[in-house]
Short mmCIF file of all heavy atoms in Angstrom, two decimals:
data_model
loop_
_atom_site.label_atom_id
_atom_site.label_comp_id
_atom_site.label_asym_id
_atom_site.label_seq_id
_atom_site.Cartn_x
_atom_site.Cartn_y
_atom_site.Cartn_z
N ARG A 112 12.03 34.30 -5.46
CA ARG A 112 13.08 33.27 -5.44
C ARG A 112 13.00 32.45 -4.16
O ARG A 112 13.08 31.22 -4.19
CB ARG A 112 14.45 33.94 -5.59
CG ARG A 112 15.60 32.98 -5.65
CD ARG A 112 16.91 33.75 -5.87
NE ARG A 112 18.04 32.88 -5.81
CZ ARG A 112 18.54 32.21 -6.84
NH1 ARG A 112 17.99 32.32 -8.02
NH2 ARG A 112 19.59 31.43 -6.68
N PHE A 113 12.83 33.12 -3.01
CA PHE A 113 12.70 32.42 -1.74
C PHE A 113 11.46 31.52 -1.73
O PHE A 113 11.51 30.37 -1.31
CB PHE A 113 12.63 33.44 -0.59
CG PHE A 113 12.47 32.80 0.76
CD1 PHE A 113 13.54 32.19 1.40
CD2 PHE A 113 11.23 32.80 1.39
CE1 PHE A 113 13.38 31.60 2.64
CE2 PHE A 113 11.07 32.21 2.63
CZ PHE A 113 12.15 31.60 3.26
N GLY A 114 10.35 32.05 -2.21
CA GLY A 114 9.10 31.28 -2.26
C GLY A 114 9.21 30.07 -3.17
O GLY A 114 8.70 28.99 -2.84
N LEU A 115 9.89 30.23 -4.30
CA LEU A 115 10.08 29.09 -5.20
C LEU A 115 10.99 28.03 -4.57
O LEU A 115 10.79 26.83 -4.78
CB LEU A 115 10.64 29.55 -6.55
CG LEU A 115 9.65 30.32 -7.43
CD1 LEU A 115 10.35 30.83 -8.68
CD2 LEU A 115 8.47 29.45 -7.79
N GLY A 116 11.94 28.47 -3.77
CA GLY A 116 12.78 27.51 -3.04
C GLY A 116 11.95 26.71 -2.04
O GLY A 116 12.10 25.49 -1.92
N GLN A 117 11.04 27.40 -1.34
CA GLN A 117 10.15 26.71 -0.41
C GLN A 117 9.22 25.75 -1.16
O GLN A 117 8.98 24.62 -0.71
CB GLN A 117 9.32 27.71 0.39
CG GLN A 117 10.10 28.46 1.43
CD GLN A 117 9.20 29.39 2.21
OE1 GLN A 117 8.34 30.07 1.65
NE2 GLN A 117 9.38 29.42 3.53
N LEU A 118 8.71 26.21 -2.30
CA LEU A 118 7.83 25.36 -3.10
C LEU A 118 8.57 24.11 -3.58
O LEU A 118 8.03 23.00 -3.56
CB LEU A 118 7.26 26.15 -4.28
CG LEU A 118 6.23 25.43 -5.14
CD1 LEU A 118 5.03 25.01 -4.29
CD2 LEU A 118 5.78 26.33 -6.27
N SER A 119 9.82 24.29 -3.98
CA SER A 119 10.63 23.16 -4.40
C SER A 119 10.81 22.16 -3.25
O SER A 119 10.74 20.94 -3.46
CB SER A 119 12.00 23.64 -4.90
OG SER A 119 12.82 22.54 -5.21
N THR A 120 10.99 22.68 -2.05
CA THR A 120 11.13 21.81 -0.88
C THR A 120 9.84 21.02 -0.64
O THR A 120 9.87 19.82 -0.39
CB THR A 120 11.49 22.63 0.37
OG1 THR A 120 12.72 23.31 0.13
CG2 THR A 120 11.61 21.76 1.61
N HIS A 121 8.69 21.72 -0.73
CA HIS A 121 7.40 21.04 -0.57
C HIS A 121 7.23 19.94 -1.63
O HIS A 121 6.77 18.83 -1.30
CB HIS A 121 6.24 22.03 -0.67
CG HIS A 121 6.03 22.86 0.56
ND1 HIS A 121 5.70 22.33 1.78
CD2 HIS A 121 6.10 24.20 0.75
CE1 HIS A 121 5.58 23.30 2.67
NE2 HIS A 121 5.82 24.44 2.06
N LEU A 122 7.59 20.24 -2.85
CA LEU A 122 7.46 19.25 -3.91
C LEU A 122 8.40 18.07 -3.70
O LEU A 122 8.06 16.92 -4.01
CB LEU A 122 7.69 19.90 -5.28
CG LEU A 122 6.62 20.93 -5.70
CD1 LEU A 122 7.04 21.61 -7.00
CD2 LEU A 122 5.27 20.27 -5.83
N SER A 123 9.56 18.33 -3.13
CA SER A 123 10.49 17.25 -2.80
C SER A 123 9.89 16.34 -1.74
O SER A 123 9.99 15.11 -1.83
CB SER A 123 11.82 17.83 -2.32
OG SER A 123 12.69 16.81 -1.92
N TYR A 124 9.24 16.95 -0.73
CA TYR A 124 8.55 16.14 0.29
C TYR A 124 7.45 15.29 -0.34
O TYR A 124 7.25 14.14 0.04
CB TYR A 124 7.94 17.04 1.37
CG TYR A 124 8.93 17.68 2.31
CD1 TYR A 124 8.68 18.93 2.85
CD2 TYR A 124 10.10 17.03 2.69
CE1 TYR A 124 9.56 19.53 3.73
CE2 TYR A 124 11.00 17.62 3.57
CZ TYR A 124 10.72 18.87 4.08
OH TYR A 124 11.61 19.45 4.96
#
Side-chain angles (χ1 to χ4, degrees):
R112 183 177 175 87
F113 179 76
L115 289 175
Q117 287 182 318
L118 185 59
S119 176
T120 300
H121 283 298
L122 293 174
S123 176
Y124 288 147

